[in-house]
Amino acid sequence: MNEPPWLSDALENVRGMGARLPHALLVNGPRGWGGEQVVNALALDLMHLESSRDARGVAHPDLRWLQPEDGVIKVDAIRHIVEFLLQTPQAAGRKIAVIEDAERMNLNAANALLKSLEEPPRESFIALYTSAPEQLLPTVRSRCQTIRVQPGGNDEVRDWLQAGGVDLGQAGFWAVEYGGAPFAIALAAEKGQAPLWSSLEKAARAPAAARTTGDALREEDLVDLLERWLRITHWLLRRMGPSGRVPLLDFASEMHNVRRAAVVNTGLNRTMQLQRLLLLWAELWRRAPIPAAPKVVL
């Protein structure tokens, strides 16, 4: 898909840094609005690679791209990044490590990164992307230069999605679970992903259906799935009467607790927690009618 107009300033900024590039750059903005594309452009520019490529899949000796594993960035992964930055560049004359969703570093991982930020090796660069900068250690934030990604307007988003061949009717369901984030909507369309609501509606029919749905969703990233589910739940809460709001609020609170545990507890039985939440969801809707499917008109 073409570069969206709301990213023009941020992309121009990173591509034009040249010799002014700081050792550590923090790109922040709402998830799904293109922050990953900004750090991707920076990495490709530093490695002298074509701007149309996806740096995540590039095998380059001077480039590393780190993403969360099971919703968490662990200390061992950061140690590998630090060791990589200490090595001599092999091809590009400089090295870069990109850390996506940097707010998912646990405390040990963030502390391991600090040393590299405080004593940067020559010709090495770190680019962090986060949608929640307030969750990063203040000492990490203070050692980075920040670029902010601003969301686009409704017309820009609709035109960009339509130009990319995304069905706007189907996109309305994804808009709820992804908080209107256009890159997340476009990716869901590209993968042929069914809206999460279709799974949740099936799970609400009976405990047996909830268990079947849990089996179908067990390969999903639990943190990401819960974030999408929470957005749907909040959408429903805004449209429900007082009688149904309290049980749904209690359920949302329980989802928050499981999400928090999934971020910090690598030993969490994620499949069991997902099944438990789906059974609670089925029980919730056994007591009240299932509402209309959450959808936004784009």
Side-chain angles (χ1 to χ4, degrees), residues 2-293:
N2 294 330
E3 290 181 356
W6 64 85
L7 284 184
S8 297
D9 290 346
L11 288 169
E12 184 179 353
N13 199 342
V14 298
R15 287 171 177 158
M17 281 184 165
R20 298 181 293 106
L21 183 67
H23 166 67
L25 190 70
L26 176 62
V27 176
N28 76 71
R31 182 175 297 179
W33 282 93
E36 300 95 328
Q37 282 64 37
V38 174
V39 289
N40 185 73
L42 173 64
L44 295 176
D45 192 52
L46 278 179
M47 297 295 104
H48 311 296
L49 297 170
E50 295 178 11
S51 60
S52 60
R53 300 184 69 175
D54 185 346
R56 293 182 186 90
V58 171
H60 193 289
D62 297 326
L63 168 65
R64 295 289 185 275
W65 190 296
L66 178 62
Q67 295 173 290
E69 181 181 345
D70 291 330
V72 185
I73 297 176
K74 306 170 189 175
V75 65
D76 286 345
I78 293 296
R79 284 173 180 157
H80 288 311
I81 290 294
V82 172
E83 290 172 6
F84 159 74
L85 292 171
L86 289 170
Q87 298 166 9
T88 302
Q90 298 182 41
R94 51 180 62 178
K95 306 174 78 68
I96 183 168
V98 178
I99 302 176
E100 185 177 340
D101 294 332
E103 77 280 0
R104 295 191 181 182
M105 288 187 290
N106 61 29
L107 183 59
N108 289 337
N111 283 326
L113 182 65
L114 266 178
K115 182 172 176 59
S116 190
L117 294 176
E118 292 167 348
E119 302 173 14
R122 291 189 59 194
E123 298 303 328
S124 70
F125 301 90
I126 299 173
L128 308 178
Y129 163 66
T130 179
S131 58
E134 71 282 355
Q135 295 180 23
L136 290 171
L137 287 180
T139 44
V140 169
R141 293 199 307 267
S142 67
R143 286 161 175 77
C144 301
Q145 181 173 319
T146 298
I147 290 181
R148 171 77 179 170
V149 172
Q150 300 290 349
N154 291 337
D155 290 343
E156 289 179 322
V157 170
R158 184 176 58 252
D159 292 347
W160 182 74
L161 288 172
Q162 199 162 28
V166 177
D167 179 85
L168 296 185
Q170 186 82 336
F173 293 99
W174 292 316
V176 174
E177 64 185 88
Y178 288 110
F183 275 93
I185 294 170
L187 182 60
E190 181 184 329
K191 295 191 300 185
Q193 175 184 307
L196 181 58
W197 178 254
S198 61
S199 295
L200 296 178
E201 195 172 31
K202 291 175 186 175
R205 293 172 185 165
R211 293 187 184 93
T212 302
T213 302
D215 290 338
L217 295 174
R218 67 179 181 275
E219 298 301 324
E220 295 268 355
D221 179 322
L222 182 61
V223 174
D224 176 69
L225 186 146
L226 290 178
E227 288 175 353
R228 291 156 56 197
W229 195 350
L230 278 163
R231 292 189 193 100
I232 290 173
T233 303
H234 291 157
W235 191 95
L236 295 172
L237 277 166
R238 291 194 297 271
R239 287 156 179 81
M240 290 186 70
S243 60
R245 196 171 292 147
V246 172
L248 197 54
L249 273 172
D250 291 340
F251 180 76
S253 178
E254 184 61 23
M255 273 200 292
H256 273 296
N257 292 337
V258 175
R259 182 199 171 279
R260 190 180 304 113
V263 169
V264 301
N265 182 4
T266 56
L268 184 73
N269 188 325
R270 292 159 189 264
T271 301
M272 185 181 75
Q273 290 297 329
L274 176 59
Q275 290 279 14
R276 185 176 68 84
L277 287 172
L278 286 166
L279 287 168
L280 289 173
W281 176 260
E283 176 63 19
L284 181 71
W285 295 118
R286 187 185 67 79
R287 302 176 183 178
I290 299 174

